[in-house]
Amino acid sequence: MSDEKGPKGDLPGPDIPGVEESAEFAANMATVMQHAQEIWARMAEAGARDERPHHPDPMNVAPVFTELTKEMLNNPRELAEKSLELWGQQAELWRRTMMGWMGAEEAEPLAEPERGDKRFADREWSENQVFNYMKQAYLLSSRWTQDLAHNIGQMPERDRRKLDFHMRNVVEAMSPSNFAATNPEVLRATIAEKGANLVRGAEALSRDIARGKGKLLISQTDMNAFKVGENMALTEGAVIWQDNVLQLIQYAPKTKTVWSRPLLFVPPWINKYYVLDLNPKKSMMQWLVEQGHQVFIISWVNPGPEQKGETWDSYMTAIMTALDKVREETGQSQVNIGSYCIGATMTAVMLAHMARTGDERVASATMFTGQMEFSSAGDLQALVDEKTLEIVDEQMEEGYLPADTMASAFNMLRSSDLIWSYVVQNYMLGKDPFPFDLLYWNADSTAMPAKVHHFYLDRFYQNNALAKGELVVHGGKVDVADIRIPVYHLASREDHIAPAASVYRAAKLLVNAKNRFVVAGSGHIAGVVNPPALGKYQHWVRDDMDAPDIETWLENAKEVPGSWWPDWDRWLKRRSGKKIPAPTPGAKLGVIEPAPGSYVKVRFDEK
């Protein structure tokens, strides 16, 4: 190939390749086609074996797009004005591109990627006139499409949010960076390697299809680089009790004396608990025992047919039984409780139930990204309506929702980062995914018990029953306003799963509790798992919750550099009793097995 450059870029020119190069490229393309045939055959075979119901529209997207079409037809003037606006932008882009091609003008771009958008990081997207035009044309069109879907006509707010979510996924899927023929980095690699990158990509795709048992299960990291109990979830401790749905882990103290009142942590069962114990440098569990706390944590089972009969009430009962086991092991009458995400939602319901029945076993509660008010509860809400609930129920005929379904749903929340970037890197560029512990955890998906999952989606996301005072557990309605203990609430400012505004509304429901509200920088995971030693991000504190909404609260909040963990530690220690000699895990209940236990090691893609 010659070194001739394309229009203001570094892609090779149109020289005819030599015979040897052509032969090697042809051989590689033949190998790619062979892999493609094998992949299609494997997927077809898996589809034939899969007896679960299949729906052409499993997300129930068609109705909102039909509604959008009606609004466009009912508002022809607005549609015409917006269309003329787009045509004008595209015409101006073409004019500037042609002038730049002829060297007559160096114009400012009409559209630039958002900050943090990595799709167009390759310099060809800016320096090559062809790719620069494709990039800007896409950005103008995609933004116009999303703006039109969001603003035209009159639609119910819930339908509009659902439309926004799915339209974003559509335009992200159509990015020119996702196609080999329009991605300069892929073209450059294909030319330089004579298609060997596509061979490696096809082999990686074949492995991911095999790992997903006929479905595409994208590898976001090196799945062989980590193993729970060997280089993850390493905080020393023991499983001291278990039942059908959980193992109770007690961590070994790291100090000679500990605070007498223990902390029991309730993680979400949608994901595995070891996000809080990834490795010694990032581990919240390790840090807590180093501060002198007696720490226990629940490790939820990865559900299968054995959990078919489990319900929201039975899961809540399991937590209350774990409370008793912690009290029995420590000899303390009261326990501090910590919780995260859906674990915090269930903890709030449990505390409201305990308040109604006069149960005083819990002295204080901490809730990370805990939602109780679901009127606007983040991107996941776009996936829930009456029709999708029916479809999910059909998928759960065996008594649980398969883990791959949960993984797909969470990947859709950030499809550009969690789907398309890996399609390009893994399957087009043929690169091996980088080893990253958080992404390994993210891929270590869990199933969901059918009745628990249906109750959560229907009563919370669909009907907002807790906030309305209509939620019934253990035979009676519960009201979080009955909670009167000290509660520490944490929201993450960039959280797309449990938005900070939703968490703030939830905290304000606890009108009789002694609340402390803190906002962390970053998102749902990084905002929570932020060890002080890393010196990352910041947090905001304020001594009251008088503001009507999160935006007003933040206006008068104090911004503090670094992790919020020390603030929580100070708050928790004031509610943790006195210092006592450090105990040995399982001294009273006995030891079943060392931490992290066996429940957390069950992987859905290894069954």
Side-chain angles (χ1 to χ4, degrees), residues 21-41:
E21 291 175 312
S22 297
E24 186 175 349
F25 183 83
N28 283 332
M29 291 302 98
T31 302
V32 170
M33 291 303 297
Q34 181 180 351
H35 281 301
Q37 292 173 6
E38 294 170 354
I39 289 168
W40 282 117

Side-chain angles (χ1 to χ4, degrees), residues 259-373:
W259 296 99
S260 58
R261 181 172 293 151
L263 170 68
L264 170 63
F265 204 93
V266 182
W269 55 90
I270 290 179
N271 303 106
K272 294 185 179 179
Y273 84 87
Y274 67 87
V275 69
L276 301 170
D277 190 25
L278 282 173
N279 62 54
K281 291 184 179 180
K282 298 179 182 178
S283 174
M284 177 183 284
M285 299 297 103
Q286 176 87 1
W287 187 83
L288 284 168
V289 294
E290 288 173 350
Q291 311 313 305
H293 294 285
Q294 289 193 76
V295 184
F296 297 76
I297 194 167
I298 286 172
S299 174
W300 295 102
V301 72
N302 199 343
E306 301 83 2
Q307 284 73 40
K308 181 176 182 177
E310 300 299 337
T311 65
W312 183 273
D313 280 4
S314 70
Y315 260 50
M316 202 167 80
T317 297
I319 298 174
M320 292 191 285
T321 304
L323 271 173
D324 283 336
K325 296 301 177 182
V326 171
R327 294 165 68 232
E328 185 179 344
E329 178 66 31
T330 61
Q332 297 292 311
S333 60
Q334 286 190 309
V335 176
N336 292 321
I337 197 164
S339 54
Y340 191 1
C341 190
I342 189 174
T345 303
M346 179 170 278
T347 295
V349 174
M350 181 187 74
L351 292 174
H353 166 72
M354 295 173 77
R356 179 170 60 86
T357 58
D359 189 330
E360 298 181 348
R361 285 176 286 175
V362 175
S364 76
T366 298
M367 300 180 187
F368 304 157
T369 65
Q371 297 189 97
M372 295 166 249
E373 204 284 333

Side-chain angles (χ1 to χ4, degrees), residues 52 54 102 111 191 200 270 278 287 318 337 374 431 442 492 506 553:
R52 289 182 295 180
H54 294 277
M102 293 184 292
I191 293 169
R200 295 193 305 273
I270 290 179
L278 282 173
W287 187 83
I337 197 164
F374 284 74
K431 294 182 178 180
N442 186 63
S492 293
W553 186 91

Side-chain angles (χ1 to χ4, degrees), residues 200-201 204 208 218-219 422-431 433:
R200 295 193 305 273
D208 285 349
I218 299 174
S219 294
Y422 292 102
V423 169
V424 174
Q425 293 295 313
N426 298 5
Y427 309 142
M428 298 184 195
L429 294 173
K431 294 182 178 180

Side-chain angles (χ1 to χ4, degrees), residues 568-580:
W568 178 42
D569 178 52
R570 289 189 293 270
W571 181 91
L572 190 59
K573 283 177 177 174
R574 292 196 296 271
R575 294 158 179 84
S576 295
K578 61 182 181 179
K579 285 294 190 75
I580 61 172

